[in-house]
Amino acid sequence: MKRPILIHPDPRLKKVCTPVSDLSDDLRALADDMLETMYDAPGIGLAAPQVGVTRRLIVLDCVKDEGEEPRPLVMFNPEVVASSDETNTYEEGCLSIPDQYADVTRPKLVDVRWIDRDGNEQNETFDGLWATCVQHEIDHLNGKLFIDYLGAMRRQMITRRMQKLKREQARA
């Protein structure tokens, strides 16, 4: 089931999320809903707070090439356990901040540990776009948005655009 995506500014997007202590069928269903919502948007990552749930859960799939097999990942309690000194800069966007993009510099490689939907611990090294995406989504779990990496004036300008968008949506 597709879920509505919260638009910045929304206080729920700034909350630090609660760890998942036990995997329930409800949480697995939430993960499935999040994947459906992400693909429909369309996006390459989505964090639980973006659909109003303050739990440590993200989904991502950075496969973009036509004909390439999708690789949906569901991560409960993901954490970066190591990162490279080398960095990459990508133009990031966010489903909670539609049509706004900015260059953000992050570590090029990250080692991430998480619990999969079956309750098994996983570890993987991510590179390039995958590394950027997983760090962006983990930031959401810590109440941080990509615009928090920008200067104050640029951040305020984007926030004002989002406030205007929300007013227009409320009138529609």
Side-chain angles (χ1 to χ4, degrees), residues 104-159:
V104 177
T105 300
R106 299 179 184 271
K108 180 183 186 307
L109 294 169
V110 288
D111 293 336
V112 178
R113 178 174 54 220
W114 73 94
I115 305 296
D116 68 17
R117 64 182 305 122
D118 298 321
N120 301 312
E121 185 173 296
Q122 301 290 332
N123 288 283
E124 187 171 335
T125 300
F126 294 96
D127 188 6
L129 180 60
W130 284 89
T132 294
C133 183
V134 75
Q135 290 173 83
H136 175 113
E137 299 309 329
I138 289 171
D139 273 354
H140 275 295
L141 304 181
N142 297 319
K144 188 168 189 173
L145 303 173
F146 85 92
I147 60 171
D148 294 331
Y149 290 94
L150 309 179
M153 287 192 44
R154 181 96 193 273
R155 189 171 54 249
Q156 289 167 349
M157 182 180 74
I158 290 172
T159 298

Side-chain angles (χ1 to χ4, degrees), residues 35-53:
L35 281 167
E36 183 180 343
T37 302
M38 177 192 78
Y39 285 127
D40 182 70
I44 60 171
L46 189 67
Q50 292 179 272
V51 294
V53 179

Side-chain angles (χ1 to χ4, degrees), residues 12-69:
R12 291 169 287 184
L13 294 172
K14 300 304 281 179
K15 290 209 180 329
V16 174
C17 294
T18 311
V20 173
S21 53
D22 62 328
L23 288 182
S24 63
D25 288 341
D26 285 347
L27 284 170
R28 287 186 187 87
L30 170 62
D32 293 339
D33 290 353
M34 287 171 57
L35 281 167
E36 183 180 343
T37 302
M38 177 192 78
Y39 285 127
D40 182 70
I44 60 171
L46 189 67
Q50 292 179 272
V51 294
V53 179
T54 54
R55 301 299 299 274
R56 296 190 78 78
L57 164 61
I58 64 173
V59 298
L60 56 152
D61 185 350
C62 297
V63 174
K64 296 167 95 175
D65 295 332
E66 200 63 38
E68 196 176 339
E69 198 63 34

